Amino acid sequence: MKYLLIFLFALNITLFPQGEDKHIWRQLVSESGEKFWYDPTTFDSVSNDRLDVWILESHRPPLRFEGIEADVYRSKILYTINLLTAKYGLKKIRYYGLTNKELYSYDYDMYISDDTFSFPYPIITGSKIHLVLQEFLKKKRMQR
């Protein structure tokens, strides 16, 4: 019986892949008044001076993209930040429709191998990435 339960558990994991991790969203507001959310759960797992962080945005009016048939009402992007160079890049993108159904996804990290291409964008003061980075640094200071 014990082996049957182990087999069924392993079969469940293999046949029914688990969804993406659950997020804990914290809201931030930019200087322009734009609201967005970030997931600070990755703050404790920084390695090699790289921080990966999910940012969630709501889009009103919705965004329109060629190749995506429906309007995009939410986007969830996994950014990767190089803490030494103050540059960032994209790892994953998820776009959602009005009913929160995923419309499109893309994983950049499957193809990127060189740091030159992994972190092409500078962090601009006041940007979403800058605000999230400030939250990360606040948390690190509090842990000292």
Side-chain angles (χ1 to χ4, degrees):
M1 184 67 167
K2 181 171 115 178
Y3 295 110
L4 178 62
L5 289 174
I6 292 171
F7 173 74
L8 290 174
F9 179 74
L11 185 64
N12 182 40
I13 290 174
T14 308
L15 292 179
F16 304 104
Q18 308 304 307
E20 286 192 26
D21 297 352
K22 299 292 180 196
H23 297 285
I24 298 173
W25 298 112
R26 298 232 170 104
Q27 185 180 42
L28 285 175
V29 180
S30 69
E31 292 176 6
S32 66
E34 181 183 12
K35 294 178 186 177
F36 66 96
W37 297 262
Y38 72 100
D39 182 357
T41 57
T42 58
F43 285 6
D44 293 328
S45 60
V46 173
S47 63
N48 298 330
D49 295 314
R50 294 180 185 192
L51 168 66
D52 292 344
V53 63
W54 283 101
I55 291 181
L56 174 69
E57 294 181 73
S58 181
H59 306 289
R60 303 280 191 261
L63 303 176
R64 303 226 53 183
F65 295 104
E66 186 176 326
I68 300 177
E69 305 216 358
D71 291 343
V72 173
Y73 284 87
R74 277 190 331 137
S75 61
K76 186 169 74 170
I77 300 174
L78 179 61
Y79 292 92
T80 184
I81 303 168
N82 185 319
L83 299 171
L84 295 177
T85 64
K87 291 188 172 190
Y88 73 95
L90 307 176
K91 285 185 94 171
K92 299 174 189 268
I93 292 179
R94 306 287 182 259
Y95 291 135
Y96 300 90
L98 185 59
T99 60
N100 288 331
K101 179 183 175 197
E102 186 175 289
L103 301 173
Y104 178 82
S105 68
Y106 190 79
D107 292 348
Y108 290 94
D109 58 347
M110 292 182 356
Y111 306 104
I112 297 174
S113 61
D114 186 341
D115 277 359
T116 305
F117 300 111
S118 297
F119 305 102
Y121 309 110
I123 297 174
I124 298 171
T125 303
S127 68
K128 290 180 203 76
I129 299 296
H130 182 249
L131 294 173
V132 170
L133 187 55
Q134 286 179 324
E135 294 297 314
F136 169 74
L137 294 173
K138 278 185 209 173
K139 182 174 181 176
K140 288 297 171 195
R141 274 187 238 119
M142 290 173 49
Q143 290 176 346
R144 290 183 188 171

